[in-house]
Amino acid sequence: MIYLDWAASAPSEPAALSAAAEAAALHANPSSPHPAGRAAAAALEDARRRLGALLGGGRVVFTSGATESNSLVLLSVLDRTREAAGRRPGVVVSGIEHSSVHDQAERIAALGAACRVVRAGSDGRVRPDEVAAAVDRDTVAVSIMLVNNETGVVQPVAEIARAARSAAGQRRLIVHTDAVQAFAKIPLEPGSLGVDAASLSAHKIGGPRGIGALWLRGGMALPVLAAGGGQERGMRPGTENVAGAAGFAAAAEARLARLVADAARARDLAARLSRSLAALPGARLFPAARADGETDLCSPWIVCFGFPPLPGEVVVRLAGERGICIASGSACSSHKRIRTRVLEAMGHDRRTALSAVRVSTGPSTSEADIDALLEFLRADLAPHMAAAAGGSPPRGGRG
Ligand code: PLP
């Protein structure tokens, strides 16, 4: 099997597995004042301290994953209803956000907030001036992701934070970034980006599934709408996942220790794949600039392309039959009917957007893996592309 879906979930780092197993033996509740509880609390705090150090300071709040981290930020907006007498607190997000931001923003709009969605350019980037233009006197939060999980495009978050704050003037504004596809994959220090909050997830970097974090600027706290035992300074009540936290810290340390060398190899692989795709008849890269070798625009770990009008899900199914694991859109949205939002927000028509396929690599991906994928695309796709263009299924397949 060739695994090229690391952005959906990454193979475990050995150090994360052993750290999580060791911490799992600490069975006590970290809130318990007895020695067993204190041992669990010490392991939790150790993981928090190590993650904080890797992020350049600030506060780490453990959550069940980035979906929850994102929703904590967005739900906090509802708490401002009382402040803005008679007016609706507002949130600004982009059309290319992961559904845990985009759809959550729509959810809080249904609960009484105002939600503005900013589009991206055809290069896949959200423009700081468009975010600033969407900020009005009632905006209390702006959430723009750092690396898009479908296209890999790196967003100008530092400029966006600056522009949004200057549009807000003296008013208090929470600037949040979903940094899931950035942390331990590209250099990241949320404090120097100028954001107040950043969402992280362990399983995208070889840590355990079901653990994530919300990084908060020092001294910052979020109002949370869930009550409970007051854990995580009240921001995320519920008994903490000590084993998950230990595995998360170990995975992050392992990945960051090798980041420079790993990212250089990933860049070479992404360039090899993009160059070869650009030469394949019918192939399109998203964003197109990637075909010209503009890799600085994008994370080296994600390449998005398609063979319109061949639906991406057909490519994914055929690749799976060859033992190659790739994705169409994000894995989290594969339960939903609409999987075209991100490419449509970049200005593509629906048919082109439906063709998108995502290849995401990791530290152990080899040139041979990329070459096997290219061989499959060259050899197996041609009849399906002809059929898709003509509207009929090829013999021996559903198209
Ligand atoms: N944000 C982005 C950009 C993602 O890629 C994902 C996962 O696909 C998430 C959030 C959700 O992360 P988690 O699985 O930790 O809830």
Side-chain angles (χ1 to χ4, degrees):
M1 192 176 73
I2 295 175
Y3 190 71
L4 296 171
D5 198 16
W6 292 64
S9 206
S12 299
E13 285 288 334
L17 285 178
S18 46
E22 199 180 312
L26 300 167
H27 57 82
N29 191 319
S31 298
S32 298
H34 50 60
R38 286 205 304 274
L44 183 71
E45 294 315 314
D46 179 58
R48 193 189 316 279
R49 182 189 51 72
R50 285 157 55 206
L51 275 172
L54 297 174
L55 290 158
R59 177 182 287 175
V60 171
V61 175
F62 285 114
T63 63
S64 64
T67 298
E68 186 182 20
S69 305
N70 288 338
S71 74
L72 288 184
V73 173
L74 289 162
L75 285 169
S76 76
V77 167
L78 293 175
D79 197 61
R80 302 281 194 96
T81 319
R82 292 187 301 270
E83 286 175 29
R87 301 212 305 265
R88 287 160 23 111
V91 60
V92 176
V93 301
S94 81
I96 60 166
E97 298 302 312
H98 187 266
S99 49
S100 56
V101 168
H102 180 273
D103 297 6
Q104 184 66 39
E106 287 185 337
R107 191 75 45 97
I108 65 164
L111 292 171
C115 165
R116 291 194 174 164
V117 181
V118 177
R119 290 175 68 87
S122 59
D123 60 357
R125 274 159 74 96
V126 176
R127 290 180 44 185
D129 56 338
E130 294 196 6
V131 175
V135 170
D136 68 15
R137 61 183 187 145
D138 292 324
T139 304
V140 294
V142 167
S143 178
I144 307 289
M145 70 197 327
L146 189 48
V147 172
N148 182 265
N149 52 299
E150 294 187 31
T151 61
V153 173
V154 181
Q155 303 301 319
V157 168
E159 291 88 334
I160 286 171
R162 260 197 308 276
R165 288 195 204 286
S166 125
Q170 297 302 310
R171 277 171 292 109
R172 195 151 64 94
L173 184 71
I174 298 172
V175 181
H176 165 252
T177 189
D178 174 344
V180 165
Q181 300 293 349
F183 180 50
K185 295 174 179 232
I186 63 170
L188 168 70
E189 251 196 34
S192 51
L193 285 177
V195 298
D196 301 302
S199 298
L200 315 170
S201 176
H203 71 106
K204 310 292 186 178
I205 58 164
R209 278 143 285 278
I211 180 86
L214 180 64
W215 173 91
L216 293 174
R217 187 168 45 74
M220 162 122 187
L222 279 183
V224 172
L225 304 181
Q231 291 92 341
E232 300 297 296
R233 299 190 189 216
M235 285 182 268
R236 197 278 181 172
T239 304
E240 302 92 335
N241 176 356
V242 179
F248 189 4
E253 282 172 349
R255 289 288 293 264
L256 279 162
R258 307 187 311 252
L259 180 62
V260 174
D262 284 349
R265 268 188 313 109
R267 236 185 317 279
D268 288 347
L269 293 180
R272 185 184 187 89
L273 177 58
S274 304
R275 266 197 315 269
S276 306
L277 283 166
L280 272 186
R284 282 185 64 182
L285 279 136
F286 307 115
R290 198 140 204 186
D292 308 328
E294 278 214 41
T295 46
D296 282 357
L297 262 183
C298 297
S299 155
W301 305 101
I302 294 177
V303 176
C304 185
F305 60 94
F307 296 86
L310 186 62
E313 60 189 13
V314 174
V315 181
V316 170
R317 177 172 58 77
L318 293 169
E321 287 169 10
R322 296 274 175 213
I324 303 174
C325 304
I326 55 176
S328 61
S330 85
C332 308
S333 57
S334 64
H335 304 294
K336 299 183 182 170
R337 279 179 49 235
I338 300 172
R339 269 174 291 156
T340 53
R341 173 171 50 76
V342 170
L343 264 75
E344 285 184 309
M346 290 164 59
H348 293 290
D349 62 44
R350 193 168 171 77
R351 207 164 69 141
T352 303
L354 270 173
S355 75
V357 171
R358 177 187 71 185
V359 166
S360 53
T361 60
S364 62
T365 306
S366 65
E367 277 185 11
D369 295 336
I370 298 299
D371 290 348
L373 170 72
L374 285 164
E375 185 50 33
F376 150 74
L377 294 173
R378 283 190 198 103
D380 292 17
L381 277 197
H384 293 271
M385 282 171 60
S392 65
R395 267 217 295 263
R398 286 192 306 117

